[in-house]
Amino acid sequence: MKFNESTLRAFAAPLSPTEDQKCLNAIHMVRDALKDLGFNDYGNSAKPLYEDTLAYSLEMRTSAADRKVKLFIQGSYANNTNVRTQSDVDIAVVQEEVFTTEYRKYVQPQNDADYNFYSVPAPSKSFKDEVQECLTRKFGWDVERKNKSIKIHGNTYRKDADSVPCRRYRDYRQDYRYDENNYIGGIIIYADNGEIIINYPEQHIANGRKKNIDTNHYYKKMVRIIKKMRYIMSDAGYPCADKVSSFGLESLLWNIPDSEFTKYTLHGFLFQHLLSYLRTNKASLSNYKEANGIKPLCPTQSDIDAYESFIDVLNGFFEYELTF
């Protein structure tokens, strides 16, 4: 399919200020609901985790300071790589005072005693149950429980939002000082089907921002284009487009060296160049990381096969039409 420069520039454009405001509205509505659980923001406003991102964040605690939560926008809105404005806003609702740890097991092994941590009994009601109840009291039938999240259906004022109740994950394996604050922070999600998922959204946001700066802001432009291509291919009936994720494509481009993003200034030539790079370097897929820089992008052979197929088909699907 042929694409000209003006079309590609439109695909590469970031969200409008209206979408930015709806992200703020989404985090504020979760904040307001959590006040029913005794949490308070004490007048603090939501601010981006990092400058020039939409990753708005807000910390709340109870009056006795015995419970703490951190709210922040994650996903494509936080990274400003969204291309379908009807997509949900993802809001992490992170329980901070109770956390899950990861320690070294062999060289200089660690345990809870090294950090004066102690285990607490499982509560009678899960954190996710608590969040669902307060959201339901606030928004009624607009609330729907999902396997990993609690969806709040939107209206003209707010976008659909997926709140993700989770627990702080602390990885101490690189800490040799026994410093309780020296950990790699992630989140751990306990899905209703029993699955346990560890993610690193804050690292993803930080790495994406740095990559964008280091590539003269072409990284996120190219991410938006490749995501748009996936949607177009899916709508056209290409099965390979449905076997990869938007998150995965963002991570795929994150693994390309920064210098490759500055070869061209025209979007079409640059996108063609990046596709050629990916096709030439498909053998490296097994070594690629997610954009957080921690988890593998392709942990199984079927994942490798899916991305190889998508890269091959996209190389044939995309045709740049240079017009003047």
PDB file of all heavy atoms in Angstrom, residues 281-301:
ATOM      1  N   ASN A 281      18.266  -7.779  10.598  1.00  0.00           N
ATOM      2  CA  ASN A 281      18.730  -8.200  11.928  1.00  0.00           C
ATOM      3  C   ASN A 281      17.709  -9.075  12.663  1.00  0.00           C
ATOM      4  O   ASN A 281      17.699  -9.103  13.898  1.00  0.00           O
ATOM      5  CB  ASN A 281      19.051  -6.965  12.765  1.00  0.00           C
ATOM      6  CG  ASN A 281      20.266  -6.207  12.252  1.00  0.00           C
ATOM      7  OD1 ASN A 281      21.400  -6.529  12.591  1.00  0.00           O
ATOM      8  ND2 ASN A 281      20.033  -5.196  11.430  1.00  0.00           N
ATOM      9  N   LYS A 282      16.903  -9.814  11.932  1.00  0.00           N
ATOM     10  CA  LYS A 282      15.896 -10.663  12.577  1.00  0.00           C
ATOM     11  C   LYS A 282      16.518 -11.710  13.510  1.00  0.00           C
ATOM     12  O   LYS A 282      15.892 -12.124  14.485  1.00  0.00           O
ATOM     13  CB  LYS A 282      15.030 -11.362  11.522  1.00  0.00           C
ATOM     14  CG  LYS A 282      14.023 -10.458  10.847  1.00  0.00           C
ATOM     15  CD  LYS A 282      13.053 -11.240   9.986  1.00  0.00           C
ATOM     16  CE  LYS A 282      13.765 -11.960   8.859  1.00  0.00           C
ATOM     17  NZ  LYS A 282      12.820 -12.683   7.990  1.00  0.00           N
ATOM     18  N   ALA A 283      17.746 -12.097  13.224  1.00  0.00           N
ATOM     19  CA  ALA A 283      18.415 -13.087  14.070  1.00  0.00           C
ATOM     20  C   ALA A 283      18.652 -12.578  15.490  1.00  0.00           C
ATOM     21  O   ALA A 283      18.905 -13.370  16.403  1.00  0.00           O
ATOM     22  CB  ALA A 283      19.745 -13.500  13.438  1.00  0.00           C
ATOM     23  N   SER A 284      18.553 -11.254  15.673  1.00  0.00           N
ATOM     24  CA  SER A 284      18.783 -10.664  17.001  1.00  0.00           C
ATOM     25  C   SER A 284      17.522 -10.611  17.855  1.00  0.00           C
ATOM     26  O   SER A 284      17.594 -10.193  19.018  1.00  0.00           O
ATOM     27  CB  SER A 284      19.347  -9.250  16.848  1.00  0.00           C
ATOM     28  OG  SER A 284      20.586  -9.254  16.173  1.00  0.00           O
ATOM     29  N   LEU A 285      16.384 -11.014  17.315  1.00  0.00           N
ATOM     30  CA  LEU A 285      15.129 -10.906  18.061  1.00  0.00           C
ATOM     31  C   LEU A 285      15.174 -11.615  19.405  1.00  0.00           C
ATOM     32  O   LEU A 285      14.581 -11.142  20.384  1.00  0.00           O
ATOM     33  CB  LEU A 285      13.972 -11.464  17.224  1.00  0.00           C
ATOM     34  CG  LEU A 285      13.394 -10.535  16.154  1.00  0.00           C
ATOM     35  CD1 LEU A 285      12.462 -11.297  15.230  1.00  0.00           C
ATOM     36  CD2 LEU A 285      12.655  -9.370  16.809  1.00  0.00           C
ATOM     37  N   SER A 286      15.873 -12.714  19.490  1.00  0.00           N
ATOM     38  CA  SER A 286      15.936 -13.457  20.753  1.00  0.00           C
ATOM     39  C   SER A 286      16.663 -12.678  21.844  1.00  0.00           C
ATOM     40  O   SER A 286      16.512 -12.975  23.031  1.00  0.00           O
ATOM     41  CB  SER A 286      16.613 -14.812  20.544  1.00  0.00           C
ATOM     42  OG  SER A 286      17.938 -14.638  20.066  1.00  0.00           O
ATOM     43  N   ASN A 287      17.448 -11.670  21.447  1.00  0.00           N
ATOM     44  CA  ASN A 287      18.190 -10.861  22.414  1.00  0.00           C
ATOM     45  C   ASN A 287      17.514  -9.523  22.715  1.00  0.00           C
ATOM     46  O   ASN A 287      17.976  -8.783  23.580  1.00  0.00           O
ATOM     47  CB  ASN A 287      19.602 -10.586  21.892  1.00  0.00           C
ATOM     48  CG  ASN A 287      20.404 -11.847  21.704  1.00  0.00           C
ATOM     49  OD1 ASN A 287      20.361 -12.748  22.534  1.00  0.00           O
ATOM     50  ND2 ASN A 287      21.145 -11.938  20.602  1.00  0.00           N
ATOM     51  N   TYR A 288      16.445  -9.220  21.997  1.00  0.00           N
ATOM     52  CA  TYR A 288      15.777  -7.945  22.188  1.00  0.00           C
ATOM     53  C   TYR A 288      15.039  -7.902  23.527  1.00  0.00           C
ATOM     54  O   TYR A 288      14.522  -8.913  24.001  1.00  0.00           O
ATOM     55  CB  TYR A 288      14.781  -7.686  21.062  1.00  0.00           C
ATOM     56  CG  TYR A 288      15.405  -7.178  19.772  1.00  0.00           C
ATOM     57  CD1 TYR A 288      16.788  -7.098  19.608  1.00  0.00           C
ATOM     58  CD2 TYR A 288      14.603  -6.786  18.706  1.00  0.00           C
ATOM     59  CE1 TYR A 288      17.356  -6.641  18.430  1.00  0.00           C
ATOM     60  CE2 TYR A 288      15.162  -6.325  17.515  1.00  0.00           C
ATOM     61  CZ  TYR A 288      16.535  -6.259  17.391  1.00  0.00           C
ATOM     62  OH  TYR A 288      17.083  -5.799  16.216  1.00  0.00           O
ATOM     63  N   LYS A 289      14.997  -6.709  24.104  1.00  0.00           N
ATOM     64  CA  LYS A 289      14.296  -6.489  25.370  1.00  0.00           C
ATOM     65  C   LYS A 289      13.023  -5.681  25.141  1.00  0.00           C
ATOM     66  O   LYS A 289      12.878  -5.000  24.124  1.00  0.00           O
ATOM     67  CB  LYS A 289      15.190  -5.727  26.350  1.00  0.00           C
ATOM     68  CG  LYS A 289      16.488  -6.422  26.713  1.00  0.00           C
ATOM     69  CD  LYS A 289      16.261  -7.612  27.603  1.00  0.00           C
ATOM     70  CE  LYS A 289      17.577  -8.184  28.109  1.00  0.00           C
ATOM     71  NZ  LYS A 289      17.366  -9.398  28.947  1.00  0.00           N
ATOM     72  N   GLU A 290      12.113  -5.765  26.089  1.00  0.00           N
ATOM     73  CA  GLU A 290      11.013  -4.815  26.097  1.00  0.00           C
ATOM     74  C   GLU A 290      11.589  -3.427  26.333  1.00  0.00           C
ATOM     75  O   GLU A 290      12.738  -3.278  26.741  1.00  0.00           O
ATOM     76  CB  GLU A 290      10.014  -5.163  27.203  1.00  0.00           C
ATOM     77  CG  GLU A 290       9.287  -6.464  26.990  1.00  0.00           C
ATOM     78  CD  GLU A 290       8.303  -6.793  28.104  1.00  0.00           C
ATOM     79  OE1 GLU A 290       8.280  -6.056  29.121  1.00  0.00           O
ATOM     80  OE2 GLU A 290       7.566  -7.788  27.970  1.00  0.00           O
ATOM     81  N   ALA A 291      10.783  -2.400  26.086  1.00  0.00           N
ATOM     82  CA  ALA A 291      11.280  -1.033  26.219  1.00  0.00           C
ATOM     83  C   ALA A 291      11.690  -0.693  27.648  1.00  0.00           C
ATOM     84  O   ALA A 291      12.368   0.313  27.872  1.00  0.00           O
ATOM     85  CB  ALA A 291      10.231  -0.039  25.723  1.00  0.00           C
ATOM     86  N   ASN A 292      11.297  -1.519  28.619  1.00  0.00           N
ATOM     87  CA  ASN A 292      11.766  -1.297  29.989  1.00  0.00           C
ATOM     88  C   ASN A 292      13.223  -1.696  30.154  1.00  0.00           C
ATOM     89  O   ASN A 292      13.840  -1.404  31.182  1.00  0.00           O
ATOM     90  CB  ASN A 292      10.884  -2.041  30.994  1.00  0.00           C
ATOM     91  CG  ASN A 292      10.725  -3.513  30.652  1.00  0.00           C
ATOM     92  OD1 ASN A 292      11.693  -4.248  30.496  1.00  0.00           O
ATOM     93  ND2 ASN A 292       9.467  -3.962  30.542  1.00  0.00           N
ATOM     94  N   GLY A 293      13.790  -2.421  29.192  1.00  0.00           N
ATOM     95  CA  GLY A 293      15.185  -2.827  29.253  1.00  0.00           C
ATOM     96  C   GLY A 293      15.451  -4.001  30.161  1.00  0.00           C
ATOM     97  O   GLY A 293      16.615  -4.350  30.399  1.00  0.00           O
ATOM     98  N   ILE A 294      14.396  -4.650  30.653  1.00  0.00           N
ATOM     99  CA  ILE A 294      14.564  -5.726  31.629  1.00  0.00           C
ATOM    100  C   ILE A 294      14.024  -7.059  31.113  1.00  0.00           C
ATOM    101  O   ILE A 294      14.746  -8.053  31.056  1.00  0.00           O
ATOM    102  CB  ILE A 294      13.859  -5.355  32.954  1.00  0.00           C
ATOM    103  CG1 ILE A 294      14.486  -4.084  33.543  1.00  0.00           C
ATOM    104  CG2 ILE A 294      13.943  -6.510  33.953  1.00  0.00           C
ATOM    105  CD1 ILE A 294      13.736  -3.518  34.737  1.00  0.00           C
ATOM    106  N   LYS A 295      12.780  -7.091  30.687  1.00  0.00           N
ATOM    107  CA  LYS A 295      12.152  -8.334  30.265  1.00  0.00           C
ATOM    108  C   LYS A 295      12.437  -8.600  28.786  1.00  0.00           C
ATOM    109  O   LYS A 295      12.515  -7.671  27.991  1.00  0.00           O
ATOM    110  CB  LYS A 295      10.635  -8.276  30.506  1.00  0.00           C
ATOM    111  CG  LYS A 295      10.263  -8.144  31.959  1.00  0.00           C
ATOM    112  CD  LYS A 295       8.758  -7.948  32.140  1.00  0.00           C
ATOM    113  CE  LYS A 295       7.963  -9.162  31.728  1.00  0.00           C
ATOM    114  NZ  LYS A 295       6.514  -8.992  32.021  1.00  0.00           N
ATOM    115  N   PRO A 296      12.578  -9.876  28.394  1.00  0.00           N
ATOM    116  CA  PRO A 296      12.797 -10.181  26.976  1.00  0.00           C
ATOM    117  C   PRO A 296      11.555  -9.883  26.151  1.00  0.00           C
ATOM    118  O   PRO A 296      10.433 -10.133  26.590  1.00  0.00           O
ATOM    119  CB  PRO A 296      13.116 -11.679  26.982  1.00  0.00           C
ATOM    120  CG  PRO A 296      12.485 -12.203  28.232  1.00  0.00           C
ATOM    121  CD  PRO A 296      12.573 -11.086  29.239  1.00  0.00           C
ATOM    122  N   LEU A 297      11.754  -9.365  24.953  1.00  0.00           N
ATOM    123  CA  LEU A 297      10.634  -9.092  24.068  1.00  0.00           C
ATOM    124  C   LEU A 297      10.032 -10.390  23.532  1.00  0.00           C
ATOM    125  O   LEU A 297       8.810 -10.498  23.398  1.00  0.00           O
ATOM    126  CB  LEU A 297      11.090  -8.209  22.902  1.00  0.00           C
ATOM    127  CG  LEU A 297      10.064  -7.948  21.791  1.00  0.00           C
ATOM    128  CD1 LEU A 297       8.829  -7.235  22.351  1.00  0.00           C
ATOM    129  CD2 LEU A 297      10.687  -7.146  20.672  1.00  0.00           C
ATOM    130  N   CYS A 298      10.883 -11.357  23.241  1.00  0.00           N
ATOM    131  CA  CYS A 298      10.431 -12.627  22.654  1.00  0.00           C
ATOM    132  C   CYS A 298      10.895 -13.797  23.526  1.00  0.00           C
ATOM    133  O   CYS A 298      11.916 -14.434  23.230  1.00  0.00           O
ATOM    134  CB  CYS A 298      10.976 -12.773  21.240  1.00  0.00           C
ATOM    135  SG  CYS A 298      10.436 -11.500  20.086  1.00  0.00           S
ATOM    136  N   PRO A 299      10.173 -14.102  24.600  1.00  0.00           N
ATOM    137  CA  PRO A 299      10.613 -15.185  25.494  1.00  0.00           C
ATOM    138  C   PRO A 299      10.438 -16.578  24.912  1.00  0.00           C
ATOM    139  O   PRO A 299      11.033 -17.528  25.418  1.00  0.00           O
ATOM    140  CB  PRO A 299       9.732 -14.987  26.731  1.00  0.00           C
ATOM    141  CG  PRO A 299       8.531 -14.254  26.242  1.00  0.00           C
ATOM    142  CD  PRO A 299       9.001 -13.385  25.119  1.00  0.00           C
ATOM    143  N   THR A 300       9.632 -16.736  23.874  1.00  0.00           N
ATOM    144  CA  THR A 300       9.410 -18.058  23.280  1.00  0.00           C
ATOM    145  C   THR A 300       9.674 -18.010  21.776  1.00  0.00           C
ATOM    146  O   THR A 300       9.687 -16.945  21.159  1.00  0.00           O
ATOM    147  CB  THR A 300       7.962 -18.531  23.512  1.00  0.00           C
ATOM    148  OG1 THR A 300       7.067 -17.700  22.747  1.00  0.00           O
ATOM    149  CG2 THR A 300       7.581 -18.437  24.995  1.00  0.00           C
ATOM    150  N   GLN A 301       9.843 -19.200  21.189  1.00  0.00           N
ATOM    151  CA  GLN A 301      10.060 -19.277  19.743  1.00  0.00           C
ATOM    152  C   GLN A 301       8.842 -18.784  18.979  1.00  0.00           C
ATOM    153  O   GLN A 301       8.969 -18.177  17.906  1.00  0.00           O
ATOM    154  CB  GLN A 301      10.384 -20.717  19.339  1.00  0.00           C
ATOM    155  CG  GLN A 301      10.731 -20.883  17.863  1.00  0.00           C
ATOM    156  CD  GLN A 301      11.930 -20.064  17.436  1.00  0.00           C
ATOM    157  OE1 GLN A 301      12.966 -20.066  18.111  1.00  0.00           O
ATOM    158  NE2 GLN A 301      11.807 -19.349  16.316  1.00  0.00           N
TER     159      GLN A 301
END
